[in-house]
Amino acid sequence: MELNWTAVPDFTHHAHTASLSAVAVNNRYVVTGSRDETIQIYDMKKKIEYGALLQHNGTVTCLEFYGNAHLLSGAEDGLIYIWNTKKWECLKSIKAHKGHVTSLSIHPSGKLALSVGTDKTLRTWNLVEGRSAFIKNLKQNAHIIKWSPSGEKYVVVISNKMDIYKLDTASIIGTISTEKRISSVRFITDSVLAIAGDDEVVRLYNCESQKCLCEFKAHENRIKDIYSFEREGQQVMVTASSDGYIKMWSLNLNKIQDAPSLLCEVNTKARLTCLAVWLDTASETKENSDKAETSSCANEDEQPLITRKRKVCWTDTSDKSTKVEKHVMPKKQKLGGAQQKKKKNLQSRT
């Protein structure tokens, strides 16, 4: 028998001076990006504000961890930064796009990343050497890029159309179109894809056939983000909407045509923008706990990350004199001080 879950507020913080635009998680940290041009770091083990990364100029549009050692960030300044998350220092700054960086995704191997921007290009990055590997021109600006869990395919979203690409041929193997603009895409498995758009419905598609397996009304307003994770053999999908609700759904992959059952919901009374789920893996192992904490940004997208055994050397091979220094805001320093520090940093760089 399936038990309903209960959502309990655990850690709340007024993170930014403007609305949040991105959120990502790994085993320890939650990072948030905002229109205030900063990335805030939270240590979820200690439930404290850890500091801030101040390099970007312009809205931080995308954040993604790779394991427990690296973070990639992209922004409207057209830059992608590669961060070491052990010391929170910048390893590499990449001028990725002539316009804004709108989305990025790291290959499961950690050796490649994809990014899309407002310059109508899809770019492949060699993360081992920190350089561009391939540039593909698109007909329109894409706003979502995402690898499949196996890394054998990836999806590119332009407005209400999603193209599915195969890695080995870099060719489109299928296209899924929806009536409304697609706002979020999530691989539930390598072959099942959840899509939400500017309406109240979540749709599950088969990647190979591009057929809709199931659709259900999840919210009363447009859905902003989808997240999914597996816990004790149970597949859970989390949705966040402009209606202020975060909902957790139980998916039965053996009966994928059936609408998911609602596990719990919480009304945040906020206009949600992005969503991520931080799982307390330590306490889950110790206590077999039912605890799953939802980080909502009023909250982004990502699967719970596992430390990978493969070691990839993401190092800065550029001239050390031009290497970007790290700027982590002390725990107790106010955000206003961070903005002043940023201005000084900009002056010193010019």
Side-chain angles (χ1 to χ4, degrees):
M1 184 180 170
E2 210 168 75
L3 297 174
N4 283 346
W5 294 8
T6 305
V8 179
D10 185 67
F11 177 70
T12 306
H13 184 69
H14 189 81
H16 295 272
T17 58
S19 60
L20 275 75
S21 46
V23 59
V25 298
N26 71 0
N27 280 4
R28 178 159 190 170
Y29 296 104
V30 170
V31 292
T32 56
S34 167
R35 293 182 184 278
D36 68 11
E37 307 182 1
T38 70
I39 299 167
Q40 302 288 335
I41 309 162
Y42 301 93
D43 186 329
M44 293 303 290
K45 299 287 187 185
K46 297 179 180 178
K47 301 290 191 295
I48 59 168
E49 182 184 4
Y50 189 82
L53 306 173
L54 310 174
Q55 256 77 11
H56 284 294
N57 296 307
T59 298
V60 178
T61 54
C62 41
L63 295 164
E64 186 168 324
F65 280 104
Y66 178 73
N68 293 312
H70 297 95
L71 170 74
L72 265 65
S73 64
E76 289 185 352
D77 56 11
L79 297 172
I80 290 175
Y81 283 104
I82 301 174
W83 305 93
N84 176 316
T85 61
K86 299 297 182 185
K87 296 180 180 179
W88 288 106
E89 58 189 6
C90 183
L91 298 176
K92 185 80 177 174
S93 167
I94 301 170
K95 180 58 181 171
H97 292 271
K98 290 176 183 175
H100 305 166
V101 180
T102 51
S103 182
L104 63 83
S105 186
I106 305 169
H107 190 269
S109 69
K111 293 183 176 181
L112 291 175
L114 297 172
S115 69
V116 288
T118 56
D119 56 0
K120 298 180 184 176
T121 63
L122 161 62
R123 297 177 186 246
T124 305
W125 302 97
N126 179 329
L127 293 179
V128 178
E129 298 177 15
R131 61 173 176 82
S132 175
F134 186 73
I135 300 172
K136 177 181 173 60
N137 292 314
L138 303 171
K139 291 180 181 178
Q140 293 173 275
N141 290 326
H143 64 280
I144 298 174
I145 182 92
K146 195 170 292 294
W147 286 104
S148 67
S150 69
E152 293 175 3
K153 53 184 171 281
Y154 56 91
V155 296
V156 178
V157 178
I158 298 173
S159 188
N160 66 329
K161 189 181 77 167
M162 184 183 74
D163 291 326
I164 304 166
Y165 287 79
K166 202 171 180 183
L167 172 62
D168 54 7
T169 59
S171 59
I172 297 172
I173 57 171
T175 299
I176 295 170
S177 296
T178 59
E179 284 186 21
K180 301 282 182 76
R181 181 182 185 271
I182 297 170
S183 59
S184 183
V185 171
R186 183 77 190 176
F187 278 95
I188 305 298
T189 68
D190 213 57
S191 58
V192 177
L193 198 60
I195 297 176
D198 286 349
D199 57 14
E200 310 86 17
V201 178
V202 173
R203 296 174 177 86
L204 302 178
Y205 285 88
N206 180 291
C207 281
E208 278 69 43
S209 66
Q210 293 89 54
K211 287 183 180 177
C212 184
L213 304 170
C214 167
E215 65 174 71
F216 65 100
K217 183 180 177 181
H219 292 269
E220 296 301 321
N221 208 324
R222 66 182 61 179
I223 297 164
K224 299 298 289 185
D225 217 342
I226 308 173
Y227 206 104
S228 69
F229 63 94
E230 188 181 329
R231 197 187 140 276
E232 294 177 358
Q234 184 177 24
Q235 194 70 44
V236 179
M237 183 169 66
V238 190
T239 56
S241 166
S242 294
D243 63 12
Y245 277 87
I246 298 169
K247 297 186 181 183
M248 302 185 81
W249 309 85
S250 176
L251 277 176
N252 187 339
L253 295 177
N254 296 320
K255 296 179 180 178
I256 198 72
Q257 70 279 3
D258 296 345
S261 56
L262 185 65
L263 290 169
C264 73
E265 64 180 25
V266 59
N267 185 2
T268 65
K269 298 179 180 177
R271 187 171 171 272
L272 302 177
T273 55
C274 44
L275 170 82
V277 174
W278 179 79
L279 294 175
D280 191 348
T281 50
S283 72
E284 198 171 286
T285 307
K286 258 189 221 174
E287 307 159 18
N288 198 16
S289 162
D290 279 354
K291 183 178 176 183
E293 303 194 33
T294 306
S295 171
S296 65
C297 300
N299 264 5
E300 179 192 15
D301 157 353
E302 240 37 51
Q303 65 189 14
L305 289 162
I306 299 163
T307 308
R308 307 179 199 275
K309 290 179 183 175
R310 185 193 299 271
K311 188 175 181 182
V312 180
C313 296
W314 291 356
T315 55
D316 188 355
T317 54
S318 63
D319 182 354
K320 297 301 175 187
S321 63
T322 60
K323 184 176 176 182
V324 182
E325 296 175 3
K326 70 168 181 174
H327 295 276
V328 179
M329 185 176 73
K331 280 183 273 186
K332 294 182 181 178
Q333 186 174 336
K334 292 181 181 177
L335 194 59
Q339 298 288 14
Q340 289 169 4
K341 184 174 178 182
K342 183 176 181 183
K343 286 176 185 173
K344 288 178 184 175
N345 173 38
L346 287 172
Q347 288 169 0
S348 63
R349 279 201 275 176
T350 57

